[in-house]
Amino acid sequence: MTTTFRIAASAIFVILSFFSAFGQPLPSAPSSQGFHSQVRLLSGGKQGETWLAGIEIALDQGFKTYWRNPGESGLPPSFDWSASENVAGIEVRWPAPTRYEDAAGVAYVYSHKVVLPVLVKPAAADKPVKLALTVDYGICKDICIPTHAELNVSLSDVGPEDREAIEEAMAKVPPQQPLGAKGDLAVLSVQSAGGDKPTLNVAVRAPSGTKPVLFAEAPDGWYVSTSTPDADNRFTVSVEERPKDAPGPVPLTLTLVAGDKAVETQVSLDGSGQPR
């Protein structure tokens, strides 16, 4: 997807966000009903020195929302935690998405319902933690509509069902593993394929009977596209855009999914987009 197309899509999203902000109430509560969706803040209690929370987005049939990397179309969710109390650090974890392709291009999405686990480090361990979240996320069927919600929850108010949902979502977050790791799901190698633009051949191992899917992510200013696998479970990752004279090393995150399993492997590129 070209820079012009992505800028145009972002501009449309921002314009729709402006009008949607005046077209719906912005409640401050643990849950909020949005456009063909409902978002909730979950409270999972303590795990060691960390508090567990979750962002649950439930979607109407046929609607989708986006992963941290939306692909060729759409925008990722954005989170503002600045009004939270007694919070020193927040980390959002991401279960693996689904690859979805239509006339608008390839998108990386969630459907039905997704829970994003949240790990919260308190500023003071002996004081209560209150999360306040402003979230903007896209809801897509034929076109993408922005939705906005303002939520808050006390992490001292623990629901057993919330804890279970957060733990189930944590189990779906791809664990990190090195290139060439053992096991039935792994990124085996990343090699230069030459060509007019930087292109990589990525070989993977996947369980028998599954069709693997690969998601590639690079830093801001870089745009990479990923093919579907060939018969030998090899993918082509192409660097479509990159900053001019970019310094290396550049991290490239590869998320590999097959069936109900997923792993995440990070490799390095040089400034020209070639593997190091």
Side-chain angles (χ1 to χ4, degrees), residues 206-225:
S208 177
T210 64
K211 183 177 181 179
V213 180
L214 187 70
F215 305 91
E217 301 171 87
D220 289 344
W222 291 69
Y223 173 66
V224 295
S225 64

Side-chain angles (χ1 to χ4, degrees), residues 77-218:
S78 64
F79 310 116
D80 181 355
W81 304 95
S82 58
S84 298
E85 299 175 9
N86 190 35
V87 170
I90 292 179
E91 180 184 359
V92 178
R93 298 285 183 90
W94 297 85
T98 299
R99 176 188 168 103
Y100 178 81
E101 188 168 0
D102 61 11
V106 176
Y108 306 149
V109 303
Y110 300 112
S111 57
H112 306 297
K113 182 167 70 176
V114 62
V115 173
L116 306 178
V118 181
L119 306 183
V120 183
K121 181 180 179 181
D126 60 341
K127 295 182 180 180
V129 174
K130 180 181 178 181
L131 286 186
L133 169 63
T134 298
V135 55
D136 292 282
Y137 59 104
I139 297 296
C140 182
K141 190 175 184 181
D142 299 319
I143 60 172
C144 188
I145 302 296
T147 301
H148 177 95
E150 296 181 5
L151 309 165
N152 63 67
V153 69
S154 171
L155 296 189
S156 300
D157 301 330
V158 182
E161 292 183 358
D162 285 3
R163 175 78 179 216
E164 182 179 355
I166 294 166
E167 290 178 343
E168 288 179 356
M170 284 290 289
K172 298 177 183 178
V173 175
Q176 295 186 4
Q177 67 178 37
L179 190 69
K182 296 180 180 180
D184 59 355
L185 184 66
V187 179
L188 300 177
S189 65
V190 178
Q191 299 178 337
S192 174
D196 295 335
K197 57 186 176 183
T199 304
L200 310 173
N201 285 332
V202 180
V204 309
R205 181 194 302 120
S208 177
T210 64
K211 183 177 181 179
V213 180
L214 187 70
F215 305 91
E217 301 171 87

